Amino acid sequence: MKEILVLCLTRFGDLIQTTPLLRGLRKSHPDARITLAVLKRFSGILPLIQGYDRVFIFDKDEAAHRISRSEEPLAAFRHMDEFICALEQDEYDLIVNLTCDRMSAYVVSALKATTVSGINAAANGQRVISGMWATHLFSVLLGENRRLNRINLVDIFSRMGGITPDGQAVALHETTAGKHFAERFIENEGLAGEVLIGIQLGASETVRCWPVESFAGLSDMLQARPGVRIILFGSPGEKELGERTMAAMRSVPVNAVGRTGIEELYSLVKCCSLLVTNDTGTMHFAAAAGTPVVMLSIGPAFFRSTGPYSSGNLALQPRLPCSPCRYNLKCHDPICRNILSLEAVHAACRMLLGETVDLEASFPGVGVYRSHFDPDGFLEWQGLCNLDPRQEELTLRYARIWKDFLDTDLPFHPEQQGPPASDLAALTSRGMELTGRIMAAARLQPLPVELITSLGEQEAAVEAEIKLLGSCDNEMAPLIDFLTLIRENITDDDLQTIARQTRKLYQHGSRLASLL
C-alpha cells in the first residue's frame, strides 16, 4: 500500500479522534504516503497532529460565502473543483472517509481508489456506504440506536481503516510555542505550585452545556480547597459566557476564555490536574494530554460514543429514559442539566483528586462510569453506580456482536434465540430462499417475468416485515437499521447481481440474529 487518504472535513474533536487511526496506519504501512484532508477552519490543530505526510485544506466557509454572492454563482463550484483536482492527482490504495455528509461523498466519488471505507456516491449520485464498520457507524447514529452502542467513535474510525485499536489514548504533539505560552501564563497569573483545575464552559450546542450557575458554584467549592486554582477555558466566541460565569462566583478564578490559540490551549490543559467539561474539543485535548476528565454527558452527548479517549476518566450520565437525546432535537425542558447536581459533579472531582466518595449517596439519579482500555485495545467504560442492568447487559452483548460480526465473514452456528431474534432468523431464512429462487429464475431463457415478479413481491413483503420488527422493538433496531443501510447500498441494475447482493444481505441478517 503506497497512497492513503484520510478525509476528515469535521471539527477539532473529530480530528483529534483520528490520531489513533493515523498512528495505526503509519505502523501498518510504514512506506505509504498518508494524506490528510481537513477544513481550513480547523486546520490550526495540524501542528499538534503527527502521522501524516501531506495535507490538503478545503475552505468550506469561503465556498459558502461565494454561493451567497449572486454575482458569482459558479465561483463556489470552481473552489470545490480546485480542491478535488488537487486530491485527484494521485490514485489511492485506500481512502478512509470519516466525514458523514454528502459533500464528502461527492469528493470521494471523483477520486480513483482501490478501496474506499466510509461514505461514497454511486454514478447516479446515490449515497453509498462502503465497508462494514462504516455501515455500523451510520447505523448507530440513527434514532435511539446510540444508547445501545458501546464502541467509541475512535475505535470505529480505526476499524474503518483496517487498524486494530492499540489500547493507547488519542495523541497530540506539544509545540515549543505552546509550552512556552503555558509557562509564562502560569508565572504571570501566580499559579506556580498550585493544583490547577480546568473548567470548559461551552460546547457546540447550548443543550450540551451545564448551567453557568452550576459551573460557578463548582468553582467556588473547588477553590475552597487549599492550593486549588480554577482556570476557565473557552473560545473567543465564549467570552460573554465566561463573564457571566465570573459574575456568579464568590472566589475569582483565572479567566483564560478567548486568551489561547490551539497550541496554547493544549499546553495549558496539559498543566491541569483535572478538567471538568461539557462534550467539546477541549475534552479531547485533555485526553491527549493525560489530564483526567470529568465529562458531563448532557443532551445528545453520550460518553460511550464520543467521551474522552483515555483511561481513568469519569463520565456522569443522567438516569433518564430520554438520555442521551436524539441529535437535532429541540428540548424545551432540558432537565438532564439539573439532574447533574453541583454536589454530584463536585464528588466526581473529589474522586479524581484521590478522595474516597460514597457513590450511592453522592450521585442520586446519575450514572457514573470510569474509562479504561480492554485487553482487545478498545475503550471501555466501567459502570460504578446507578446502572440499568438490562441496558448494561444489552450494550455488552451488542459490543460483542459487532466486534465478532464486522471483522469476520465466517460461517456461523445458530444459538438459542429469544422471540425477536428468532423472528428475524425466520424472516431472513425466508429472504434467502426467495432471493435464491430469483437468482435461479434470472438464468432461465426465456425470462419468466411473471414468476420473477411474484417472487419479488414476496421478497418485498419480507423486507417490510423486517422493518416492522425493528420499528416495534428498540432492542432490535440497531440490527434492522444496519441491514437497511446495506440494502440501500445495492445500486446495481443487473437483476442477477441485485438478487445475489440481496441474498448476501439476508445471510448477514441470519448471522446477526444468531449472535443476538
Side-chain angles (χ1 to χ4, degrees), residues 210 276 294-298 301 303 314-319 323 340-341 343-349 351 363 366-369 381:
W210 206 37
V276 184
V294 174
M295 177 193 179
L296 310 180
S297 198
I298 301 171
F303 66 96
L314 291 180
L316 306 184
Q317 183 84 33
R319 279 292 307 276
S323 180
L340 289 190
S341 68
E343 293 73 21
V345 179
H346 184 237
C349 294
M351 287 177 64
F363 300 100
V366 177
V368 182
Y369 304 82
W381 289 86

Side-chain angles (χ1 to χ4, degrees), residues 29 141 143 147 170 233 280 287 295 297 350 364 441 443 457:
H29 311 288
L141 294 177
R147 297 177 191 171
V170 291
F233 294 119
T280 190
M295 177 193 179
S297 198
R350 289 164 49 208
R443 290 192 290 267
E457 290 172 350

